[in-house]
Amino acid sequence: MVETCFSFSSNNSVIDSSESLSCICKTGYQTLTTDKASITCQQCPADKPAVIKDGFGCIRCPGSLSDEGKCQCPPGNVLVERDVNGSLLEEAICKTCNGNSPGLSVPNSSGDRCERCQASFINTSCVCNPPNVLAGGLCFPPGSLSTNVNPSVNYGQLKFSVLSAWFVKNLYSSSAACLVFSNLTACQALGNMCVMNMHSFGSVSTDACGLFNTIFRSRAALSSTQDISYWRVNLPWLYYGDEPGLASRVLQTDPVPIRFSFRGRNKNTDIKLLAAVYNVRGEFLRWEQVGGGNLQLCPETTTKQAAAFSFGTAYQESCDLSVAELLGTHPEPLFYDVFMDLGGGENRKLLPLPTLVHNQQYNGRFINQESMKNWYLSRRMFVVDMLSGREKSMSSLPKVIRVASSVKIRFQLVSRTQEGQVFPPLMTVTYRDVPITDINTQTVSTTFAVEYEMEQNEARIKTDTALGVMAGVAALYSLLKTVSWKRRIASPLIDVETMLKFLMFYAGDLANVFFAVTVGTGLYWLIFYKAQQFVSVLLPLPAQEEQFVTYIGCAFALKAVQFLHKLILQVSTDVFFIDWERPRSKASRTMQGAGEPKRDPSPVSIWRTYFVANEWNEIQTIRKISPTFQIMAVLFFLEVLGFSNLALRDPWSTLQRSSQAYTPSYSLILRYGLAGTLWLCIGFLQVIFFTVFHEHFVEDKIRQFVDLCSISNISVLLLSHRCFGYYIHGRSVHGHADTNMEEMNNNLNREAESLCGQRGLLPNTEIQTFQVSLTNRLRSQYDRIREQIGRRNGPSRLMDASSANQFEQRARGYQTMNHFLGSVIDHAHPDMDYVVKDKLMFERVIGMEFLEPSEKSIFYNDEAHSFSDLLFYGNEATLLIFDTLFFCVVDLGSQSFVLAAVLTCVQQMIFRLIRNTLGRKNLVSKTLVDERFLI
């Protein structure tokens, strides 16, 4: 932050520095005391009007004063303000440096000391006489290098250039010193200026990179450094070369001689990177371990920053930095040549890291933003440049700054390796050009990331092959379902409805294919990545997961189509309750006038039918699992026990993580595989528990409904297709069910002691549930009677006595249907008779009947109670997969298991309400049961 200047003197003697980063005294004022928050200034007396160079004193000048209020000496002189003991003189002295032999001295760059002139000057004098060229304190012979250099810095993002004060001062001198004298520091400084220009070059050969390449080509005949042809003697290594396809050869040919392992005795996850650090003047500063803030600008704890160099941990840290703070902490750029430490003890080896600068231009093209064959790899990089954008002077505010907005180190696994081998890592740098408008409010975003990848083409081909083969099998299975559907509706024609039905079936089967492949793929990555010892697989990058996410979206969309299709079929099923009860006695009443008693049959109670209908209404949405327990259990494992940490992009399988440790991002594949597998496992365990234990020892509502039908003397006919459906034989073995408690209890005891017949449709059998294939003749008669029952009343304003007659007609139609179906079951219609038989095993597997009921209907024994297919109960697999996909899709979109659980619960309640409401209306319309009795 910019400091606020406070003065403790009586007048306004304090101002901001030119960079607005510190407080200084005004011209003619000396500094008495200063600290971080304030400064104390005092005006110099009239007899000592000048301020000394360090600002902490006043002095008389032997000559004139500069604009800054300090003494200045003539050229070739140095200013002396203190004696040899350090005491301040009363009057400053200008000492002339002896530029002739044997003194050969000149003022140094600070102007406070004479030093020997540079060896490039003529031996007898320190004067660089024409036609020699004086630059940077050196004297160059004429014709060594053209003085017409281009000291501008190109900002490609902003589409303009800046005449850099640093380049104006140093570009020619560094280039000439490097070319003429092979000065190592000058060559490094020239290389740094090329790096500040984004390694870019083109037709202009007089800019920093053009001059560097000119010198590079001139050294072709000389030897190379470390036997690397791109690294010429005395020159920094900036480029790898411009041969087509060179990048792929550098990055994907020779593996690094290090093997990474996540577990075991040979565990090795340490990534050791070293950097040779240079300042902007080309001076080598030190060797430095990469990490701890040199390339990572974001302020983080040491523990979290160190996680970037643990192999396999996908690291990314982003933050917004204040431009003012960067100006204070990075006044000059530092340059890094990064190497990978290969170890070796005394014979230590370093592997250079190739660098890809996205901002690099070649003849105006951003070549490194194209395909790999056009990449131009380089070496040296920096993170912050506050220097090259200063246009007028070195002390002025920069017009533009450059910040590494993204530094990414990428490791690529060797294909089919079983020993954890990787190719040389690639460092990718993206710089952002920031024009300075308001230094106090401007911020810049930066990211440091380490990512790992492997060749995914083989895995993608296997996945697509599995999808293709299974999709073909699904198409055949859907075609088989369509044929079965055509048989069940007794329609031989292939029409538009048939095609739509095929698509509906195929949507469901294809959804299962996508679901199986995606869950299997997610589980594969979860197991093999987290459990491996030597590194053999690495997770797909987020960009490589897009196709996988698309497959998940397809699975969810297709499964939703199948679910809605089944929901519509269930709420449009034909239902009829066959009441077998007959009047048991006759009531006597006396007719007027005749005086003779007349016996009329007492009516059969409708309450049993209402009771069965109400029970059917209640079991429409029961399931083989508890949805609430399912959601709570999944959340417990993921959030409480910490299973969600298994989906993090690191190789560790620990469930609990320290809050101080770095937490990488989640892998969508692992997250989906984990959530999907966990949801399915808990669901399967619930199904097993309810099927094996709960239904046998606690409550089985499906069998209870069948028992209720027998006790109530009510059979149920359910038609899911025109000529196919289900029949529940509920005819009481006692003949009557409309009785008192005592008789009902006696009947149940007799049945328990086997003192009466069995409940089955056929004599001496117990089978009460059947799949039925009806003949066209039977269905046509059913439709004629059904039309009378389904007739609706007119508008309420027209209701009169005729409305009552319509209801009576519907009631008579109901009685007619009841009598008709009962007589069919009793074989009273030879032309609409039926046979009872067992289904073949293959017929049960593929869900299709081979025999078409041409003369007689067929009742197939069905001990599995398949009529539950018309309920949620019989479609648990579809519901479970749909819930799983819904949960996972919401989670992938929100990255929140809690939100996914809440929305899944809401979705279940909504569809349960829809199924109950529409199913109730269908039951009312098909059975004449008043909706008020369905509670």
Side-chain angles (χ1 to χ4, degrees), residues 410 412 451-457 460 525 538-551 649 668-669:
R410 188 199 69 185
Q412 183 175 359
E451 63 182 24
Y452 306 86
E453 68 171 339
M454 62 177 291
E455 182 59 53
Q456 297 291 333
N457 286 336
R460 190 177 297 111
W525 286 110
L538 290 173
L539 293 174
L541 297 174
Q544 296 171 326
E545 294 177 326
E546 292 178 358
Q547 186 179 27
F548 182 81
V549 174
T550 302
Y551 290 159
R649 286 182 170 275
L668 297 184
I669 291 182

PDB file of all heavy atoms in Angstrom, residues 410 412 451-457 460 525 538-551 649 668-669:
ATOM      1  N   ARG A 410       4.043 -28.713 -16.377  1.00  0.00           N
ATOM      2  CA  ARG A 410       3.275 -29.881 -16.792  1.00  0.00           C
ATOM      3  C   ARG A 410       4.193 -31.089 -16.924  1.00  0.00           C
ATOM      4  O   ARG A 410       5.220 -31.037 -17.577  1.00  0.00           O
ATOM      5  CB  ARG A 410       2.605 -29.626 -18.142  1.00  0.00           C
ATOM      6  CG  ARG A 410       1.630 -30.710 -18.563  1.00  0.00           C
ATOM      7  CD  ARG A 410       1.362 -30.666 -20.048  1.00  0.00           C
ATOM      8  NE  ARG A 410       2.551 -31.062 -20.804  1.00  0.00           N
ATOM      9  CZ  ARG A 410       2.627 -31.030 -22.131  1.00  0.00           C
ATOM     10  NH1 ARG A 410       1.631 -30.567 -22.843  1.00  0.00           N
ATOM     11  NH2 ARG A 410       3.744 -31.420 -22.755  1.00  0.00           N
ATOM     12  N   GLN A 412       4.307 -35.081 -18.186  1.00  0.00           N
ATOM     13  CA  GLN A 412       3.611 -36.058 -19.017  1.00  0.00           C
ATOM     14  C   GLN A 412       4.194 -37.436 -18.775  1.00  0.00           C
ATOM     15  O   GLN A 412       5.402 -37.648 -18.875  1.00  0.00           O
ATOM     16  CB  GLN A 412       3.702 -35.708 -20.504  1.00  0.00           C
ATOM     17  CG  GLN A 412       2.924 -36.685 -21.386  1.00  0.00           C
ATOM     18  CD  GLN A 412       2.900 -36.274 -22.834  1.00  0.00           C
ATOM     19  OE1 GLN A 412       3.457 -35.242 -23.192  1.00  0.00           O
ATOM     20  NE2 GLN A 412       2.276 -37.062 -23.683  1.00  0.00           N
ATOM     21  N   GLU A 451       0.541 -29.525 -13.144  1.00  0.00           N
ATOM     22  CA  GLU A 451      -0.431 -30.512 -13.592  1.00  0.00           C
ATOM     23  C   GLU A 451       0.272 -31.715 -14.194  1.00  0.00           C
ATOM     24  O   GLU A 451       1.444 -31.639 -14.607  1.00  0.00           O
ATOM     25  CB  GLU A 451      -1.413 -29.913 -14.600  1.00  0.00           C
ATOM     26  CG  GLU A 451      -0.786 -29.434 -15.884  1.00  0.00           C
ATOM     27  CD  GLU A 451      -1.801 -28.795 -16.820  1.00  0.00           C
ATOM     28  OE1 GLU A 451      -2.850 -28.319 -16.328  1.00  0.00           O
ATOM     29  OE2 GLU A 451      -1.537 -28.775 -18.045  1.00  0.00           O
ATOM     30  N   TYR A 452      -0.469 -32.818 -14.238  1.00  0.00           N
ATOM     31  CA  TYR A 452       0.077 -34.095 -14.699  1.00  0.00           C
ATOM     32  C   TYR A 452      -0.882 -34.690 -15.718  1.00  0.00           C
ATOM     33  O   TYR A 452      -2.091 -34.653 -15.539  1.00  0.00           O
ATOM     34  CB  TYR A 452       0.257 -35.055 -13.517  1.00  0.00           C
ATOM     35  CG  TYR A 452       1.073 -34.460 -12.390  1.00  0.00           C
ATOM     36  CD1 TYR A 452       0.466 -33.678 -11.403  1.00  0.00           C
ATOM     37  CD2 TYR A 452       2.442 -34.640 -12.323  1.00  0.00           C
ATOM     38  CE1 TYR A 452       1.211 -33.103 -10.386  1.00  0.00           C
ATOM     39  CE2 TYR A 452       3.199 -34.076 -11.310  1.00  0.00           C
ATOM     40  CZ  TYR A 452       2.579 -33.311 -10.343  1.00  0.00           C
ATOM     41  OH  TYR A 452       3.317 -32.747  -9.339  1.00  0.00           O
ATOM     42  N   GLU A 453      -0.312 -35.248 -16.768  1.00  0.00           N
ATOM     43  CA  GLU A 453      -1.168 -35.825 -17.795  1.00  0.00           C
ATOM     44  C   GLU A 453      -0.512 -37.068 -18.385  1.00  0.00           C
ATOM     45  O   GLU A 453       0.699 -37.283 -18.249  1.00  0.00           O
ATOM     46  CB  GLU A 453      -1.462 -34.818 -18.902  1.00  0.00           C
ATOM     47  CG  GLU A 453      -0.256 -34.438 -19.748  1.00  0.00           C
ATOM     48  CD  GLU A 453      -0.654 -33.603 -20.947  1.00  0.00           C
ATOM     49  OE1 GLU A 453      -1.836 -33.654 -21.344  1.00  0.00           O
ATOM     50  OE2 GLU A 453       0.224 -32.909 -21.489  1.00  0.00           O
ATOM     51  N   MET A 454      -1.333 -37.869 -19.022  1.00  0.00           N
ATOM     52  CA  MET A 454      -0.860 -39.026 -19.758  1.00  0.00           C
ATOM     53  C   MET A 454      -1.643 -39.101 -21.063  1.00  0.00           C
ATOM     54  O   MET A 454      -2.683 -38.442 -21.212  1.00  0.00           O
ATOM     55  CB  MET A 454      -1.055 -40.305 -18.943  1.00  0.00           C
ATOM     56  CG  MET A 454      -2.504 -40.644 -18.613  1.00  0.00           C
ATOM     57  SD  MET A 454      -2.690 -42.201 -17.717  1.00  0.00           S
ATOM     58  CE  MET A 454      -2.250 -43.387 -18.992  1.00  0.00           C
ATOM     59  N   GLU A 455      -1.136 -39.871 -21.984  1.00  0.00           N
ATOM     60  CA  GLU A 455      -1.810 -40.022 -23.258  1.00  0.00           C
ATOM     61  C   GLU A 455      -3.144 -40.721 -23.053  1.00  0.00           C
ATOM     62  O   GLU A 455      -3.209 -41.833 -22.538  1.00  0.00           O
ATOM     63  CB  GLU A 455      -0.932 -40.844 -24.222  1.00  0.00           C
ATOM     64  CG  GLU A 455      -1.525 -41.019 -25.598  1.00  0.00           C
ATOM     65  CD  GLU A 455      -1.782 -39.695 -26.286  1.00  0.00           C
ATOM     66  OE1 GLU A 455      -0.854 -38.872 -26.369  1.00  0.00           O
ATOM     67  OE2 GLU A 455      -2.929 -39.487 -26.711  1.00  0.00           O
ATOM     68  N   GLN A 456      -4.231 -40.040 -23.441  1.00  0.00           N
ATOM     69  CA  GLN A 456      -5.580 -40.557 -23.189  1.00  0.00           C
ATOM     70  C   GLN A 456      -6.229 -41.180 -24.427  1.00  0.00           C
ATOM     71  O   GLN A 456      -7.359 -41.660 -24.339  1.00  0.00           O
ATOM     72  CB  GLN A 456      -6.482 -39.424 -22.681  1.00  0.00           C
ATOM     73  CG  GLN A 456      -6.056 -38.823 -21.353  1.00  0.00           C
ATOM     74  CD  GLN A 456      -6.238 -39.779 -20.193  1.00  0.00           C
ATOM     75  OE1 GLN A 456      -7.082 -40.657 -20.222  1.00  0.00           O
ATOM     76  NE2 GLN A 456      -5.428 -39.600 -19.159  1.00  0.00           N
ATOM     77  N   ASN A 457      -5.524 -41.194 -25.548  1.00  0.00           N
ATOM     78  CA  ASN A 457      -6.153 -41.711 -26.770  1.00  0.00           C
ATOM     79  C   ASN A 457      -6.544 -43.173 -26.642  1.00  0.00           C
ATOM     80  O   ASN A 457      -7.627 -43.588 -27.076  1.00  0.00           O
ATOM     81  CB  ASN A 457      -5.201 -41.530 -27.958  1.00  0.00           C
ATOM     82  CG  ASN A 457      -5.114 -40.082 -28.401  1.00  0.00           C
ATOM     83  OD1 ASN A 457      -6.032 -39.298 -28.159  1.00  0.00           O
ATOM     84  ND2 ASN A 457      -4.019 -39.708 -29.028  1.00  0.00           N
ATOM     85  N   ARG A 460      -9.544 -43.460 -24.437  1.00  0.00           N
ATOM     86  CA  ARG A 460     -10.717 -42.931 -25.133  1.00  0.00           C
ATOM     87  C   ARG A 460     -11.218 -43.916 -26.188  1.00  0.00           C
ATOM     88  O   ARG A 460     -12.429 -44.114 -26.346  1.00  0.00           O
ATOM     89  CB  ARG A 460     -10.368 -41.591 -25.771  1.00  0.00           C
ATOM     90  CG  ARG A 460     -11.576 -40.838 -26.309  1.00  0.00           C
ATOM     91  CD  ARG A 460     -11.184 -39.482 -26.875  1.00  0.00           C
ATOM     92  NE  ARG A 460     -10.630 -38.633 -25.834  1.00  0.00           N
ATOM     93  CZ  ARG A 460      -9.357 -38.262 -25.764  1.00  0.00           C
ATOM     94  NH1 ARG A 460      -8.504 -38.679 -26.673  1.00  0.00           N
ATOM     95  NH2 ARG A 460      -8.940 -37.477 -24.796  1.00  0.00           N
ATOM     96  N   TRP A 525     -10.642 -45.441 -12.666  1.00  0.00           N
ATOM     97  CA  TRP A 525      -9.669 -44.410 -12.309  1.00  0.00           C
ATOM     98  C   TRP A 525      -9.522 -44.306 -10.803  1.00  0.00           C
ATOM     99  O   TRP A 525      -8.415 -44.097 -10.285  1.00  0.00           O
ATOM    100  CB  TRP A 525     -10.105 -43.064 -12.878  1.00  0.00           C
ATOM    101  CG  TRP A 525      -9.918 -42.951 -14.366  1.00  0.00           C
ATOM    102  CD1 TRP A 525     -10.889 -42.915 -15.317  1.00  0.00           C
ATOM    103  CD2 TRP A 525      -8.678 -42.874 -15.071  1.00  0.00           C
ATOM    104  NE1 TRP A 525     -10.336 -42.814 -16.568  1.00  0.00           N
ATOM    105  CE2 TRP A 525      -8.977 -42.781 -16.446  1.00  0.00           C
ATOM    106  CE3 TRP A 525      -7.346 -42.861 -14.670  1.00  0.00           C
ATOM    107  CZ2 TRP A 525      -7.991 -42.687 -17.413  1.00  0.00           C
ATOM    108  CZ3 TRP A 525      -6.364 -42.753 -15.641  1.00  0.00           C
ATOM    109  CH2 TRP A 525      -6.686 -42.679 -17.002  1.00  0.00           C
ATOM    110  N   LEU A 538      -2.243 -41.639 -14.764  1.00  0.00           N
ATOM    111  CA  LEU A 538      -2.494 -40.306 -14.217  1.00  0.00           C
ATOM    112  C   LEU A 538      -3.883 -39.863 -14.642  1.00  0.00           C
ATOM    113  O   LEU A 538      -4.387 -40.275 -15.686  1.00  0.00           O
ATOM    114  CB  LEU A 538      -1.454 -39.307 -14.716  1.00  0.00           C
ATOM    115  CG  LEU A 538      -0.029 -39.475 -14.179  1.00  0.00           C
ATOM    116  CD1 LEU A 538       0.926 -38.514 -14.889  1.00  0.00           C
ATOM    117  CD2 LEU A 538       0.036 -39.257 -12.678  1.00  0.00           C
ATOM    118  N   LEU A 539      -4.487 -39.047 -13.822  1.00  0.00           N
ATOM    119  CA  LEU A 539      -5.864 -38.629 -14.081  1.00  0.00           C
ATOM    120  C   LEU A 539      -5.953 -37.759 -15.328  1.00  0.00           C
ATOM    121  O   LEU A 539      -5.035 -36.994 -15.629  1.00  0.00           O
ATOM    122  CB  LEU A 539      -6.399 -37.847 -12.880  1.00  0.00           C
ATOM    123  CG  LEU A 539      -6.599 -38.631 -11.587  1.00  0.00           C
ATOM    124  CD1 LEU A 539      -6.986 -37.665 -10.470  1.00  0.00           C
ATOM    125  CD2 LEU A 539      -7.666 -39.683 -11.758  1.00  0.00           C
ATOM    126  N   PRO A 540      -7.050 -37.855 -16.041  1.00  0.00           N
ATOM    127  CA  PRO A 540      -7.265 -36.927 -17.156  1.00  0.00           C
ATOM    128  C   PRO A 540      -7.342 -35.490 -16.643  1.00  0.00           C
ATOM    129  O   PRO A 540      -7.838 -35.218 -15.544  1.00  0.00           O
ATOM    130  CB  PRO A 540      -8.610 -37.379 -17.748  1.00  0.00           C
ATOM    131  CG  PRO A 540      -8.793 -38.779 -17.271  1.00  0.00           C
ATOM    132  CD  PRO A 540      -8.127 -38.854 -15.940  1.00  0.00           C
ATOM    133  N   LEU A 541      -6.851 -34.573 -17.452  1.00  0.00           N
ATOM    134  CA  LEU A 541      -6.939 -33.157 -17.112  1.00  0.00           C
ATOM    135  C   LEU A 541      -8.389 -32.690 -17.215  1.00  0.00           C
ATOM    136  O   LEU A 541      -9.212 -33.333 -17.870  1.00  0.00           O
ATOM    137  CB  LEU A 541      -6.053 -32.340 -18.052  1.00  0.00           C
ATOM    138  CG  LEU A 541      -4.554 -32.630 -17.977  1.00  0.00           C
ATOM    139  CD1 LEU A 541      -3.817 -31.851 -19.055  1.00  0.00           C
ATOM    140  CD2 LEU A 541      -3.999 -32.289 -16.611  1.00  0.00           C
ATOM    141  N   PRO A 542      -8.716 -31.566 -16.571  1.00  0.00           N
ATOM    142  CA  PRO A 542     -10.104 -31.071 -16.661  1.00  0.00           C
ATOM    143  C   PRO A 542     -10.595 -30.925 -18.098  1.00  0.00           C
ATOM    144  O   PRO A 542     -11.745 -31.226 -18.396  1.00  0.00           O
ATOM    145  CB  PRO A 542     -10.025 -29.718 -15.939  1.00  0.00           C
ATOM    146  CG  PRO A 542      -8.925 -29.897 -14.934  1.00  0.00           C
ATOM    147  CD  PRO A 542      -7.920 -30.779 -15.606  1.00  0.00           C
ATOM    148  N   ALA A 543      -9.725 -30.473 -19.004  1.00  0.00           N
ATOM    149  CA  ALA A 543     -10.148 -30.339 -20.405  1.00  0.00           C
ATOM    150  C   ALA A 543     -10.419 -31.701 -21.036  1.00  0.00           C
ATOM    151  O   ALA A 543     -11.267 -31.827 -21.922  1.00  0.00           O
ATOM    152  CB  ALA A 543      -9.085 -29.592 -21.199  1.00  0.00           C
ATOM    153  N   GLN A 544      -9.699 -32.740 -20.572  1.00  0.00           N
ATOM    154  CA  GLN A 544      -9.901 -34.072 -21.112  1.00  0.00           C
ATOM    155  C   GLN A 544     -11.127 -34.759 -20.525  1.00  0.00           C
ATOM    156  O   GLN A 544     -11.535 -35.821 -21.005  1.00  0.00           O
ATOM    157  CB  GLN A 544      -8.652 -34.929 -20.846  1.00  0.00           C
ATOM    158  CG  GLN A 544      -7.413 -34.421 -21.563  1.00  0.00           C
ATOM    159  CD  GLN A 544      -6.155 -35.157 -21.122  1.00  0.00           C
ATOM    160  OE1 GLN A 544      -5.996 -35.562 -19.968  1.00  0.00           O
ATOM    161  NE2 GLN A 544      -5.224 -35.334 -22.055  1.00  0.00           N
ATOM    162  N   GLU A 545     -11.703 -34.163 -19.473  1.00  0.00           N
ATOM    163  CA  GLU A 545     -12.893 -34.751 -18.859  1.00  0.00           C
ATOM    164  C   GLU A 545     -14.192 -34.295 -19.528  1.00  0.00           C
ATOM    165  O   GLU A 545     -15.262 -34.792 -19.171  1.00  0.00           O
ATOM    166  CB  GLU A 545     -12.949 -34.384 -17.373  1.00  0.00           C
ATOM    167  CG  GLU A 545     -11.842 -34.993 -16.539  1.00  0.00           C
ATOM    168  CD  GLU A 545     -11.897 -34.553 -15.086  1.00  0.00           C
ATOM    169  OE1 GLU A 545     -12.297 -33.401 -14.830  1.00  0.00           O
ATOM    170  OE2 GLU A 545     -11.542 -35.355 -14.210  1.00  0.00           O
ATOM    171  N   GLU A 546     -14.095 -33.374 -20.478  1.00  0.00           N
ATOM    172  CA  GLU A 546     -15.312 -32.817 -21.072  1.00  0.00           C
ATOM    173  C   GLU A 546     -16.132 -33.889 -21.782  1.00  0.00           C
ATOM    174  O   GLU A 546     -17.355 -33.912 -21.673  1.00  0.00           O
ATOM    175  CB  GLU A 546     -14.938 -31.696 -22.039  1.00  0.00           C
ATOM    176  CG  GLU A 546     -14.370 -30.466 -21.345  1.00  0.00           C
ATOM    177  CD  GLU A 546     -13.971 -29.390 -22.328  1.00  0.00           C
ATOM    178  OE1 GLU A 546     -14.099 -29.625 -23.551  1.00  0.00           O
ATOM    179  OE2 GLU A 546     -13.516 -28.309 -21.880  1.00  0.00           O
ATOM    180  N   GLN A 547     -15.465 -34.779 -22.513  1.00  0.00           N
ATOM    181  CA  GLN A 547     -16.193 -35.837 -23.212  1.00  0.00           C
ATOM    182  C   GLN A 547     -16.874 -36.768 -22.205  1.00  0.00           C
ATOM    183  O   GLN A 547     -18.016 -37.201 -22.414  1.00  0.00           O
ATOM    184  CB  GLN A 547     -15.252 -36.633 -24.106  1.00  0.00           C
ATOM    185  CG  GLN A 547     -15.960 -37.669 -24.979  1.00  0.00           C
ATOM    186  CD  GLN A 547     -14.993 -38.417 -25.872  1.00  0.00           C
ATOM    187  OE1 GLN A 547     -13.823 -38.551 -25.554  1.00  0.00           O
ATOM    188  NE2 GLN A 547     -15.475 -38.924 -26.992  1.00  0.00           N
ATOM    189  N   PHE A 548     -16.182 -37.055 -21.104  1.00  0.00           N
ATOM    190  CA  PHE A 548     -16.757 -37.914 -20.070  1.00  0.00           C
ATOM    191  C   PHE A 548     -18.008 -37.267 -19.477  1.00  0.00           C
ATOM    192  O   PHE A 548     -19.028 -37.932 -19.278  1.00  0.00           O
ATOM    193  CB  PHE A 548     -15.710 -38.159 -18.989  1.00  0.00           C
ATOM    194  CG  PHE A 548     -16.162 -39.072 -17.885  1.00  0.00           C
ATOM    195  CD1 PHE A 548     -16.132 -40.439 -18.042  1.00  0.00           C
ATOM    196  CD2 PHE A 548     -16.620 -38.550 -16.687  1.00  0.00           C
ATOM    197  CE1 PHE A 548     -16.551 -41.290 -17.027  1.00  0.00           C
ATOM    198  CE2 PHE A 548     -17.048 -39.380 -15.662  1.00  0.00           C
ATOM    199  CZ  PHE A 548     -17.002 -40.756 -15.846  1.00  0.00           C
ATOM    200  N   VAL A 549     -17.938 -35.968 -19.211  1.00  0.00           N
ATOM    201  CA  VAL A 549     -19.098 -35.250 -18.666  1.00  0.00           C
ATOM    202  C   VAL A 549     -20.242 -35.256 -19.677  1.00  0.00           C
ATOM    203  O   VAL A 549     -21.421 -35.358 -19.298  1.00  0.00           O
ATOM    204  CB  VAL A 549     -18.701 -33.817 -18.270  1.00  0.00           C
ATOM    205  CG1 VAL A 549     -19.913 -33.021 -17.833  1.00  0.00           C
ATOM    206  CG2 VAL A 549     -17.661 -33.836 -17.146  1.00  0.00           C
ATOM    207  N   THR A 550     -19.917 -35.176 -20.954  1.00  0.00           N
ATOM    208  CA  THR A 550     -20.949 -35.257 -21.992  1.00  0.00           C
ATOM    209  C   THR A 550     -21.658 -36.597 -21.948  1.00  0.00           C
ATOM    210  O   THR A 550     -22.883 -36.672 -22.084  1.00  0.00           O
ATOM    211  CB  THR A 550     -20.320 -35.033 -23.373  1.00  0.00           C
ATOM    212  OG1 THR A 550     -19.667 -33.756 -23.396  1.00  0.00           O
ATOM    213  CG2 THR A 550     -21.374 -35.069 -24.465  1.00  0.00           C
ATOM    214  N   TYR A 551     -20.896 -37.669 -21.752  1.00  0.00           N
ATOM    215  CA  TYR A 551     -21.508 -38.996 -21.637  1.00  0.00           C
ATOM    216  C   TYR A 551     -22.459 -39.061 -20.439  1.00  0.00           C
ATOM    217  O   TYR A 551     -23.538 -39.665 -20.521  1.00  0.00           O
ATOM    218  CB  TYR A 551     -20.429 -40.076 -21.495  1.00  0.00           C
ATOM    219  CG  TYR A 551     -19.620 -40.323 -22.744  1.00  0.00           C
ATOM    220  CD1 TYR A 551     -18.366 -40.928 -22.687  1.00  0.00           C
ATOM    221  CD2 TYR A 551     -20.096 -39.935 -23.989  1.00  0.00           C
ATOM    222  CE1 TYR A 551     -17.622 -41.163 -23.828  1.00  0.00           C
ATOM    223  CE2 TYR A 551     -19.349 -40.158 -25.142  1.00  0.00           C
ATOM    224  CZ  TYR A 551     -18.117 -40.772 -25.052  1.00  0.00           C
ATOM    225  OH  TYR A 551     -17.384 -40.996 -26.182  1.00  0.00           O
ATOM    226  N   ARG A 649      -7.527 -34.502  -6.546  1.00  0.00           N
ATOM    227  CA  ARG A 649      -6.521 -34.771  -7.566  1.00  0.00           C
ATOM    228  C   ARG A 649      -5.135 -34.959  -6.928  1.00  0.00           C
ATOM    229  O   ARG A 649      -4.207 -34.188  -7.175  1.00  0.00           O
ATOM    230  CB  ARG A 649      -6.468 -33.632  -8.572  1.00  0.00           C
ATOM    231  CG  ARG A 649      -7.641 -33.607  -9.524  1.00  0.00           C
ATOM    232  CD  ARG A 649      -7.510 -32.483 -10.542  1.00  0.00           C
ATOM    233  NE  ARG A 649      -8.506 -32.598 -11.575  1.00  0.00           N
ATOM    234  CZ  ARG A 649      -8.381 -33.342 -12.666  1.00  0.00           C
ATOM    235  NH1 ARG A 649      -7.271 -34.020 -12.872  1.00  0.00           N
ATOM    236  NH2 ARG A 649      -9.345 -33.408 -13.567  1.00  0.00           N
ATOM    237  N   LEU A 668     -13.490 -34.573 -11.687  1.00  0.00           N
ATOM    238  CA  LEU A 668     -14.891 -34.867 -11.982  1.00  0.00           C
ATOM    239  C   LEU A 668     -15.098 -36.354 -12.198  1.00  0.00           C
ATOM    240  O   LEU A 668     -16.131 -36.907 -11.809  1.00  0.00           O
ATOM    241  CB  LEU A 668     -15.337 -34.079 -13.214  1.00  0.00           C
ATOM    242  CG  LEU A 668     -15.325 -32.554 -13.096  1.00  0.00           C
ATOM    243  CD1 LEU A 668     -15.883 -31.916 -14.348  1.00  0.00           C
ATOM    244  CD2 LEU A 668     -16.109 -32.097 -11.872  1.00  0.00           C
ATOM    245  N   ILE A 669     -14.122 -37.011 -12.809  1.00  0.00           N
ATOM    246  CA  ILE A 669     -14.247 -38.456 -13.032  1.00  0.00           C
ATOM    247  C   ILE A 669     -14.244 -39.191 -11.706  1.00  0.00           C
ATOM    248  O   ILE A 669     -15.085 -40.077 -11.466  1.00  0.00           O
ATOM    249  CB  ILE A 669     -13.114 -38.950 -13.952  1.00  0.00           C
ATOM    250  CG1 ILE A 669     -13.310 -38.407 -15.363  1.00  0.00           C
ATOM    251  CG2 ILE A 669     -13.048 -40.469 -13.969  1.00  0.00           C
ATOM    252  CD1 ILE A 669     -12.263 -38.869 -16.350  1.00  0.00           C
TER     253      ILE A 669
END
